Amino acid sequence: LGPGSTPSISARGSMECSVKKRAPRAIKEIRGCATKMMGTQGCPHRHQRLNIFVWSKGIRSVPFRVRVRLSRKRNDDEDAKEKLYTLVTVVPVTSFEGLETVNVDAE
C-alpha cells in the first residue's frame, strides 16, 4: 500500500474471544492489520476517534467492521528505533457495500 490508504478492516477475531475482552481484542486486530498492510515495525499510533468508535457500543458489542485511513509518517523523535510509524484514523461511512481499498495522496 502507498503512503496513505483507506481499507475496511473486519473485527472478526474479536468475536472468537469472551465478551469481556472483545473491544481490547478488536483494537489489537486493527493494530495487527495496520502493521501488516503498511510494513512498519513497532506499534502503530491510533487516533482517539478510532478508540471512541470501537468502544462506542461497549466492551461486548464491538462494531463488525471499521473503515480506517492508514498513513505512513516519519518519526521526528531522534531516539526512536524506527524511522517510520503508521497513523490509524477512523473514516465514517454509512454503508460498507461496494467499498474497496483506496490509495490517498499525502496532503
Side-chain angles (χ1 to χ4, degrees):
L1 296 174
S5 61
T6 310
S8 295
I9 296 178
S10 174
R12 278 192 300 258
S14 64
M15 295 298 151
E16 297 171 359
C17 63
S18 67
V19 292
K20 291 294 187 175
K21 296 178 183 177
R22 283 187 181 170
R25 178 72 181 265
I27 294 288
K28 290 175 188 169
E29 290 282 328
I30 293 168
R31 186 169 53 196
C33 287
T35 43
K36 185 177 177 182
M37 287 181 188
M38 296 303 278
T40 56
Q41 298 298 320
C43 179
H45 297 57
R46 62 183 185 271
H47 199 268
Q48 183 179 2
R49 288 189 186 145
L50 176 66
N51 230 4
I52 290 170
F53 179 78
V54 171
W55 286 85
S56 64
K57 294 165 64 177
I59 197 167
R60 295 175 174 208
S61 306
V62 177
F64 291 113
R65 290 188 189 105
V66 60
R67 181 83 167 170
V68 294
R69 175 164 290 137
L70 304 175
S71 305
R72 192 178 295 128
K73 302 281 186 177
R74 188 163 304 281
N75 207 342
D76 294 332
D77 189 15
E78 295 177 5
D79 300 339
K81 290 187 272 183
E82 307 297 329
K83 290 191 282 186
L84 300 172
Y85 68 92
T86 303
L87 179 66
V88 184
T89 55
V90 69
V91 177
V93 293
T94 54
S95 174
F96 288 97
E97 289 184 25
L99 291 179
E100 294 181 2
T101 299
V102 177
N103 287 333
V104 180
D105 294 331
E107 286 98 32

